[in-house]
Amino acid sequence: MSGDVSASGDRSVAAGGYIGWVHTGDRVTALPPEALGPVVCPPGLVNVPRRAAHFVGRGEEGALLDEEPETVVISGLGGVGKSSLAARWALRQAMHRNPVWWITAESRADVDAGLAGLAAAMQPALIDVLPQEALRERALQWLAAHDGWLLVLDNVTDPADVEHLLARTGRGRVVVTSRTTDAWYGIGRVLALPVLPAAEAVELFTRVANHAGPRDTTGVERLCETLGQLPLAVEIAAAYCGRTATPPLDYLAELGRSRGPGNAEEAVARTLRVTFNRLAATVPYASGLLRMLGWFAPDRIPAMLLPPFPGTREALGELAAHSMITLHEDGSVSVHRLVQAIARRPAPGDVPGQPGLIERMRSLAETALAHAASLDSEEPAHREVWRALLPHLEAHLRHTDPAGDGEALLWVLADAGAYLSLNGLYEEAAEAYERSLAGCERLYGPDYLPLLGLRGALAENLASAGRADEAIEAAAATVRGMTEALGADDPNTLLARSCLATAHAKAGLTHRATVLQESVLGDMVRVLGPKDRRTLETYAELAGIYQAANRTLEALTLNTYAAAEMSLLIGEDDPDTLRIRINQVGLHVGVGAIDQARAGYTELLSVCSRVLGEDHPYTVHVREALDAQGPGDPLGAKNERTVEWWVHGGKPAQGPE
């Protein structure tokens, strides 16, 4: 590196001239040309959910949003129409702002994911190349350097979750919606959104009720007053009256038999109970389905999470007709957060301490998550479905007590940890593995052998997250437990020791990792033999540690042996063999064997495309290794790298067979 370029600080990167790859010690990523140039936002980039087909009033609030140049926080009760106002106003801005981007912002993780989604929408070629944290940073840098854009941060629960974004993005417009009315001093102007005035509440009811034809609206003023003029409650009641031709006075009488406190949430709860009671006779499945949907995120619940029962579509149609859900063209479903909160309440007839309807629907939601995750075949961490699934899994975890996690959910959590780890979200991955482990130990006991894989994956992610001491302790505890339970020479104990070596390697302690892995390899050769699959994989893992320690020739020797023997043992097209073969070609680059590396990558691209498919990470990696070079450029000049698949193939450590 040139003498006038330097970097300081943990995992800093120094750049001098052209850079086609960056290695910070955690992962190595080959970047396509799109990642090396400036971000260009395509015209007409709009991401705003469909809201409130029947929208009335809010003229003054809309004018304030038009005139206010700084951040505006729309605050108010749940169900008062904050998101509907923001969505309606944002869509009008799309004529002269770009991008117009909506982010569900209930947590810091939601905000980061939304920013990453914006970067990916600007440059789709980077979706499967950069981890989420890098995509988020690209979005923040673009927003800081440009004006004329609009972000909507919906349902912020803690201002601290968006302060980092607001501090860096002062050139565009930001609108926040939140139930929190205080703690915004110095952040933005608060627009307190009240319930509708009486006349506008009546107008909303009349529009919705008469949507399918004229209806008797006698007594509508009294009904709206009873509902507190809360838009969500008014719309649900009006949809029911319009759907069933029920006069407002009859609906009011039904509400009188469903008494409760007069707060806003109870107004919605009472309207839902009336609708549920009436639907029970004709579409009994509707109530349970809505209660199940309450355990997911509110926006765009994908069709793969819906029960595959004959009555599902009919029930969804009835719920949509009664304004309790929104159906989208792609088959997904959205539910208002307040409706979800009420749907998660104990149902009438549920006995405290005994499984009732709510518990059954929570369990059904877990089953749906498990079924959707299983659609990803044997490698769920690598599949597209997780992009849609993860927000709903995270919402489910927020709404549930870990002590109640069922068996199906626990293994979904393990798969989620693999996906998060693959995307560089090591802290989040560690949290998923920790909750999965805690539940598995509760159900199966701490000595359940398949938990070895989870513990190894947890240790690796703790190390990658910079929590080296915790990672090493977690791996060491596993070794101690396995040694005590199974003996020092048991294959499972040997695998646990390999995980401990991996934890040291991830922590950057390459010398200690080398000593540990060499010892493990020696014992595996003695106990299992030199050509056992587990022994051969340990050879490859030790090669990775040698490479990290700049012992490239030794790494190449070990990896070449492992690749040849794995090919004979399980076939050269097996994914685990392919991983080792890919690493071997990377090592050829490292020792300057460029022509051999080029030929190896060309052959592997054909094999990976045929065996794994064009979009598999291994295929993508090999293709990038060839495409990253310019015309006439030696392979090593722009693509001198190996991938972090040395340890367990880029996926969680496999448990005992």
Side-chain angles (χ1 to χ4, degrees), residues 208-563:
V208 175
N210 291 336
H211 179 69
R215 292 289 187 261
D216 179 3
T217 58
T218 303
V220 63
E221 296 84 357
R222 287 177 55 196
L223 176 55
C224 289
E225 182 181 4
T226 301
L227 295 175
Q229 294 155 208
L230 187 73
L232 180 60
V234 170
E235 186 171 354
I236 292 174
Y240 178 82
C241 290
R243 180 77 170 175
T244 62
T246 300
L249 290 176
D250 289 356
Y251 194 93
L252 190 59
E254 189 73 24
L255 280 178
R257 291 188 286 271
S258 179
R259 300 187 181 277
N263 58 50
E265 182 171 325
E266 187 58 33
V268 178
R270 293 167 68 189
T271 59
L272 288 178
R273 281 198 292 270
V274 170
T275 301
F276 282 166
N277 291 339
R278 294 294 183 92
L279 285 178
T282 56
V283 191
Y285 187 43
S287 173
L289 179 59
L290 184 62
R291 294 183 186 280
M292 174 195 166
L293 296 176
W295 296 106
F296 301 133
D299 297 323
R300 297 278 182 175
I301 301 169
M304 62 184 168
L305 289 177
L306 302 176
F309 302 152
T312 296
R313 300 313 304 181
E314 179 187 4
L316 288 173
E318 287 297 319
L319 290 171
H322 288 85
S323 293
M324 289 188 281
I325 65 172
T326 299
L327 297 178
H328 302 286
E329 293 79 3
D330 60 0
S332 64
V333 179
S334 294
V335 190
H336 194 283
R337 294 177 183 85
L338 183 53
V339 173
Q340 286 187 306
I342 294 166
R344 293 192 300 269
R345 288 182 178 183
D350 282 359
V351 178
Q354 297 182 16
L357 177 61
I358 296 300
E359 177 62 23
R360 294 197 301 274
M361 292 305 101
R362 184 199 62 78
S363 179
L364 185 61
E366 288 189 2
T367 300
L369 289 166
H371 175 73
S374 71
L375 298 178
D376 273 345
S377 73
E378 76 280 1
E379 293 184 355
H382 299 158
R383 304 301 178 184
E384 192 67 27
V385 67
W386 274 103
R387 297 186 193 279
L389 193 62
L390 193 60
H392 302 284
L393 173 62
E394 292 173 341
H396 185 86
L397 298 179
R398 286 197 298 269
H399 297 316
T400 55
D401 183 350
D405 290 347
E407 181 178 23
L409 181 66
L410 296 175
W411 297 111
V412 173
L413 279 169
D415 289 344
Y419 174 82
L420 292 164
S421 180
L422 185 70
N423 283 274
L425 301 173
Y426 302 117
E427 284 284 359
E428 292 85 349
E431 290 176 6
Y433 284 127
E434 285 172 336
R435 183 157 173 173
S436 179
L437 269 170
C440 287
E441 290 176 353
R442 171 174 50 83
L443 292 181
Y444 311 121
D447 297 329
Y448 184 55
L449 292 183
L451 298 187
L452 171 63
L454 289 178
R455 293 192 180 104
L458 172 60
E460 290 177 30
N461 280 278
L462 289 172
S464 294
R467 297 161 62 181
D469 291 343
E470 294 175 73
I472 292 171
E473 176 55 33
T478 303
V479 172
R480 291 192 296 269
M482 288 294 177
T483 303
E484 181 178 347
L486 302 172
D489 285 348
D490 186 273
N492 298 302
T493 304
L494 297 177
L495 288 173
R497 289 171 56 197
S498 181
C499 287
L500 179 60
T502 296
H504 281 80
K506 289 272 193 173
L509 304 174
T510 53
H511 175 72
R512 180 59 176 161
T514 299
V515 172
L516 290 171
Q517 196 74 328
E518 286 177 341
S519 175
V520 172
L521 180 59
D523 287 339
M524 281 194 165
V525 171
R526 174 177 57 82
V527 174
L528 301 174
K531 298 185 179 182
D532 182 88
R533 178 172 181 162
R534 290 160 291 188
T535 304
L536 295 173
E537 289 178 342
T538 304
Y539 270 109
E541 291 162 9
L542 180 57
I545 296 174
Y546 280 174
Q547 193 274 339
N550 295 319
R551 297 167 61 177
T552 309
L553 288 175
E554 294 171 270
L556 180 59
T557 300
L558 287 184
N559 202 88
T560 300
Y561 170 77

Side-chain angles (χ1 to χ4, degrees), residues 39 68 94 158 166 173 194 233 479 488 494 577:
V39 179
E68 178 60 49
D158 184 351
L166 298 175
R173 283 294 308 275
V479 172
L494 297 177
T577 304

